[in-house]
């Protein structure tokens, strides 16, 4: 296969100045240096390409301590002439190499790029080289790729990049999610969602397939894992964040929907516990959970100066987890559950999305069995966020919270507000709020007040 004559170095320079301004770039405001670039063509002509861009954040020390490195996946299309239809997606024009200039575009905005990705999935084909190679896979009994394949990139607040592929009558539209930070290992978005769909659970979009591959990891050794996930697109659905914030903005009740959401959440937890490995909540396992929570307290309190004063109280709250007697078994969970991860479809009711877990947590940690109450805590935090979008929400947030927990209890058969579960839930809610403080400090400083206030409220401390 022939790739464009644009040199790797020139592409790396171009991406080094463009990538940090993109929504998916997780190291905003930090000096980054490109360490390595690998490229693979996705199609015969080499127009559609995938770049694995390893960036170093900070400086390696003379004593031999390496600064952190991250591998980003950057889809590009490289064309021998400018395409006026793609003017808004132009990343840049590269200097002539062998007398042939190249125009580099943001791949997801170029329909050719998405078609190349879908072709790999449908044909279960591979491309690339031994060090950076990709393979398409169709899910068993998965959805076919639509023939028309018109594409549109979603513009929301996303860690990854999603491209909607519309369909002609009789076909199912799809959505292709391209993972932006490449981590070795299975991506739970693919594994967990596929397991649920295979078990006949209609609470997730139906799968079409995925792309996995091999690349050079941050430390220079070989890495392998998932690169993209393709599923059914639920056209005409609305995400729960939009529905909930519209309700609170209009002073409308949301408790009926919150109760149904609690039921749907417990249904999904039950299928996950039945289909994927679980672990008994032994004292050792609970101690490991508590250690993880303590690490997060330390991480958040170091990262955000406004949290320094709460560290001791936060540690005390999470230490209580060690002594819980009646903890439920650990199981696979959603991992980053909030209103933006749930869609309301008229035909299907609440449908859950994005089982990737928290983007700021290492991938390996996101694939081990965990407390299902972590998801419950995530959604409770989200009701607080939604309530915080209006100046005087009144009891809207607490009412949603009660309704959600009532719905969850009705299906799960156990109430997260009672016994040791209440201790776990309190610790996990605090944990989520601490994560959110760091997330907002890094990504949306204007939103920082919401989780910061929550941390103080949950700990009964003074926010001033
Ligand atoms: N299957 C789908 N059908 C309809 N909309 C979807 C679907 N999957 C994702 N979306 C929309 O895209 C947004 C981002 O998708 P998500 O999987 O959460 O990506 P990320 O991991 O980058 O946050 C969702 O909040 C939702 O609005
Ligand atoms: O959806 P992602 O996997 O990218 O999750 C990250 O971004 C979320 C924001 O887009 C962030 O969620 C926080 O803000 C939401 C409102 O925008 C709120 O509903 C959530 O409760 C709150 O946690 C999420 O934490 C982050 O991982």
């Amino acid at each position: 296969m022939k790739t464009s004559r644009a040199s790797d170095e020139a592409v790396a320079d171009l991406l080094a100045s463009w990538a940090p301004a993109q929504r998916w770039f997780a190291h905003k405001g930090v000096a980054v240096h490109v360490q390595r670039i690998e490229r693979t063509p996705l199609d015969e002509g080499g127009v559609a390409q995938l770049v694995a861009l390893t960036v170093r954040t900070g400086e390696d020390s003379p004593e031999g301590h390496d600064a952190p490195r991250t591998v980003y996946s950057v889809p590009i299309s490289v064309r021998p002439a400018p395409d006026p239809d793609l003017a808004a997606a132009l990343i840049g024009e590269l200097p002539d190499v062998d007398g042939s200039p190249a125009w580099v575009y943001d791949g997801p905005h170029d329909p050719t790029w998405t078609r190349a990705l879908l072709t790999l999935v449908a044909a279960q084909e591979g491309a690339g080289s031994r060090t950076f190679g990709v393979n398409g896979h169709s899910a068993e009994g998965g959805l076919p790729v639509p023939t028309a394949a018109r594409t549109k990139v979603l513009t929301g607040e996303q860690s990854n990049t999603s491209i909607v592929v519309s369909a002609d009558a009789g076909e199912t539209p799809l959505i292709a999610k391209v993972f932006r930070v490449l981590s070795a290992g299975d991506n739970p978005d693919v594994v967990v969602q596929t397991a649920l769909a295979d078990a006949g659970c209609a609470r997730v979009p139906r799968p079409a397939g995925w792309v996995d591959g091999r690349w050079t990891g941050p430390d220079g050794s070989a890495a392998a894992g998932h690169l993209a996930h393709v599923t059914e697109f639920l056209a005409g659905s609305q995400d729960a964040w939009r529905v909930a914030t519209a309700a609170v903005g209009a002073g409308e009740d949301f408790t009926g929907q919150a109760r149904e959401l609690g039921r749907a959440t417990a249904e999904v937890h039950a299928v996950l516990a039945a289909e994927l490995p679980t672990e008994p909540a032994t004292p050792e396992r609970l101690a490991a959970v508590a250690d993880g929570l303590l690490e997060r307290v330390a991480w958040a309190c170091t990262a955000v100066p406004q949290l320094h004063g709460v560290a001791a109280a936060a540690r005390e709250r999470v230490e209580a987890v060690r002594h819980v007697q009646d903890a439920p078994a650990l199981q696979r969970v959603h991992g980053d559950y909030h209103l933006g991860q749930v869609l309301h479809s008229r035909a299907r009711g609440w449908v859950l999305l994005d089982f990737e877990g928290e983007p700021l947590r290492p991938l390996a940690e996101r694939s081990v069995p965990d407390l299902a109450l972590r998801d419950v805590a995530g959604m409770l935090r989200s009701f607080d966020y939604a309530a915080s979008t209006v100046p005087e929400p009144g009891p809207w947030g607490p009412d949603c919270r009660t309704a959600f927990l009532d719905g969850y209890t009705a299906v799960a058969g156990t109430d997260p507000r009672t016994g040791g579960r209440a201790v776990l839930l309190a610790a996990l809610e605090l944990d989520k709020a601490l994560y959110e403080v760091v997330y907002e400090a890094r990504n949306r400083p204007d939103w920082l007040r919401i989780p910061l206030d929550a941390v103080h409220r949950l700990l009964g401390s003074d926010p001033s």
Side-chain angles (χ1 to χ4, degrees):
M1 267 190 225
K2 178 168 107 17
T3 46
S4 156
R5 274 158 288 192
S7 74
D8 282 352
E9 261 173 24
V11 174
D13 284 349
L14 198 59
L15 297 182
S17 53
W18 173 82
Q22 306 310 306
R23 170 64 178 90
W24 48 263
F25 196 80
H27 295 95
K28 294 215 173 57
V30 186
V32 294
H33 311 269
V34 172
Q35 284 292 121
R36 186 183 306 111
I37 179 167
E38 292 180 292
R39 282 202 284 167
T40 175
L42 299 182
D43 56 10
E44 279 295 328
V47 169
Q49 300 183 16
L50 193 61
V51 175
L53 193 71
T54 305
V55 301
R56 171 168 57 83
T57 43
E59 301 299 334
D60 293 339
S61 77
E63 296 82 44
H65 297 299
D66 285 349
R69 281 143 170 85
T70 302
V71 186
Y72 282 101
S73 165
V74 190
I76 56 171
S77 57
V78 183
R79 295 174 170 274
D83 182 336
D85 290 344
L86 295 175
L90 183 68
I91 299 177
E93 183 188 341
L94 289 180
D96 288 15
V97 179
D98 298 340
S100 39
W103 279 261
V104 180
Y105 294 94
D106 186 11
H109 289 274
D110 183 343
T112 302
W113 191 89
T114 305
R115 274 198 287 271
L117 181 90
L118 295 176
T119 302
L120 288 182
V121 168
Q124 317 225 46
E125 270 176 4
S129 67
R130 196 178 49 80
T131 52
F132 187 32
V134 297
N135 288 294
H137 302 266
S138 300
E140 227 174 281
L143 293 167
V145 169
T147 40
R150 288 176 302 276
T151 63
K152 187 173 181 290
V153 179
L154 291 185
T155 53
E157 293 277 309
Q158 261 194 281
S159 329
N160 298 301
T161 299
S162 294
I163 309 152
V164 176
V165 183
S166 49
D168 288 336
E171 297 177 316
T172 306
L174 301 178
I175 181 163
K177 174 153 81 170
V178 180
F179 301 127
R180 286 298 189 161
V181 174
L182 293 186
S183 305
D186 285 342
N187 192 308
D189 195 43
V190 179
V191 175
V192 176
Q193 216 164 294
T194 307
L196 285 163
D198 285 352
C201 177
R203 294 281 182 203
V204 288
R206 288 177 291 161
W210 64 90
V211 175
D212 57 17
R214 310 161 296 287
W215 62 92
T216 305
D219 60 357
S221 60
H226 290 108
L227 298 154
H229 189 197
V230 187
T231 62
E232 166 190 25
F233 177 71
L234 294 155
S237 58
Q238 272 200 309
D239 79 66
W241 171 255
R242 205 174 287 216
V243 185
T245 49
V248 70
E252 281 167 11
D253 176 59
F254 190 72
T255 55
Q257 291 100 312
R259 189 170 299 106
E260 280 310 306
L261 188 52
R263 297 181 70 93
T265 307
E267 270 174 38
V268 168
H269 281 163
V271 181
L272 288 177
E275 296 296 321
L276 292 169
T278 59
E279 272 180 40
T282 57
E284 296 72 31
R285 195 66 192 77
L286 274 188
V289 171
D291 289 343
L293 296 174
L294 281 176
E295 264 175 41
R296 178 106 103 180
V297 172
W299 169 76
C301 293
T302 308
V304 183
Q306 290 98 314
L307 286 174
H308 288 173
V310 305
R315 280 197 295 271
E316 195 180 320
R317 175 67 51 90
V318 305
E319 276 290 350
V321 164
R322 278 183 219 281
H323 313 296
V324 169
Q325 301 289 333
D326 56 347
L330 287 86
Q331 61 163 94
R332 295 302 293 268
V333 300
H334 182 283
D336 188 19
Y337 201 41
H338 57 79
L339 288 162
Q341 311 280 40
V342 186
L343 293 178
H344 193 265
S345 134
R346 205 174 292 188
R348 305 244 287 268
W350 292 120
V351 174
L352 281 56
L353 304 173
D354 192 8
F355 286 75
E356 212 190 341
E358 290 167 353
L360 301 187
R361 198 188 264 272
L363 190 70
E365 278 182 25
R366 303 189 230 147
S367 293
V368 289
D370 199 349
L371 292 164
L373 290 173
R374 192 180 286 283
D375 292 343
V376 174
M379 194 53 77
L380 296 181
R381 289 289 315 120
S382 213
F383 290 127
D384 177 51
Y385 260 78
S388 306
T389 59
V390 298
E392 300 283 340
W396 189 94
D399 287 352
C400 288
R401 181 186 174 92
T402 303
F404 177 81
L405 289 168
D406 287 348
Y408 190 89
T409 303
V411 172
T414 47
D415 190 337
R417 290 161 288 197
T418 58
R421 284 179 167 77
V423 175
L424 298 175
L425 185 60
L428 291 165
E429 245 189 293
L430 175 65
D431 176 74
K432 189 70 188 183
L434 291 171
Y435 166 85
E436 289 167 343
V437 168
V438 179
Y439 180 86
E440 302 302 1
R442 289 189 185 169
N443 293 285
R444 304 184 296 193
D446 291 353
W447 291 60
L448 184 57
R449 206 63 254 164
I450 300 175
L452 254 189
D453 285 351
V455 167
H456 287 290
R457 198 172 54 246
L458 292 167
L459 290 173
S461 56
D462 181 1
S464 57

